[in-house]
Amino acid sequence: MGPNDHTHGSRPVRVLYVDDFEPERVLLAHRVAGSHIQLTTAPDIDSAIDALHADRYDLVVTDLHLGEGRSGIDLIDACKGGGLHAGPVAVLTGESDVVRLQPLIDSGAAAVLTKPIDAGAFPSIVEQLIGVETASQPDVPSASVLIEALPIAARALEISIQRGDAATATRVLRDLASSAGSFGFTSIARLAEQAVGCWQHGQTDAACDASLGVIGAIDAALAFHARAA
């Protein structure tokens, strides 16, 4: 039976998600819990290859930039060249330039998805890529789903500020702006959007101050959650 030959109501849809950014892995894993998607996450290419040696997956979703000078294209090459994965591979990227994206398609990517990924829409994305319904959708998530990812995001943001790493800070903030509002953390989402604007316009001092404001809002949200627990 081929990778796309199973139907609705059969075994879970197995997805390998590769991303070096821990908050995104944590958030997506929580979001699909309870759906028909069985998600395995990996932080780098070597871990992804180990997972592909160990199990069969219906779909691989990988970030384009995976650190240490490696990319999603390298993972596609490993999948296809080594016979590790015959199914589709989708690549996540924040880039939109057609010229820069063409190599992804040429390398064999089944789809190029825009980052940050919409965790709520992920089951539908999987369905479109493999042509299989993901059965029952998870319930609308509560704020507790984001709680585990918030400290990780705050730590990554602190390190980015210390290093003056605008690219990573912007990535963290964009993820927060996208996900926090969906879980009811509107103040965090609003502050994150403001901080992204500062980083994008090269306003380093203002960006650092705004980013520290996001961290403060995260700390307040976590403190409130702890008191309410």
Side-chain angles (χ1 to χ4, degrees), residues 3 9 33 63 78-79 106 116 133 151 169 176 182 191:
D63 189 17
C79 287
D106 293 341
E133 292 185 21
L176 286 171
S182 301
L191 290 169

Side-chain angles (χ1 to χ4, degrees), residues 86-164:
V89 179
V91 180
L92 287 163
T93 177
E95 298 177 1
S96 59
D97 189 315
V98 174
V99 174
R100 294 174 65 86
L101 295 180
Q102 188 59 46
L104 298 178
I105 304 300
D106 293 341
S107 69
V112 179
L113 307 176
T114 302
K115 292 197 68 177
I117 193 167
D118 184 341
F122 190 69
S124 297
I125 293 171
V126 172
E127 289 180 7
Q128 293 172 10
L129 288 172
I130 68 174
V132 175
E133 292 185 21
T134 54
S136 60
Q137 300 298 317
D139 295 332
V140 175
S142 65
S144 61
V145 174
L146 190 61
I147 291 299
E148 185 176 347
L150 282 177
I152 301 170
R155 185 166 64 250
L157 194 52
E158 287 175 349
I159 294 173
S160 299
I161 294 171
Q162 293 171 359
R163 296 176 177 175

Side-chain angles (χ1 to χ4, degrees), residues 28-71:
L28 187 59
H30 279 283
R31 183 60 183 86
V32 301
S35 74
H36 203 52
I37 296 174
Q38 183 176 324
L39 189 74
T40 298
T41 63
D44 52 48
I45 289 180
D46 291 335
S47 299
I49 290 175
D50 288 342
L52 290 165
H53 275 296
D55 291 298
R56 174 187 172 189
Y57 295 90
D58 301 291
L59 171 67
V60 174
V61 179
T62 177
D63 189 17
L64 174 59
H65 301 293
L66 294 171
E68 298 181 354
R70 307 178 80 180
S71 74

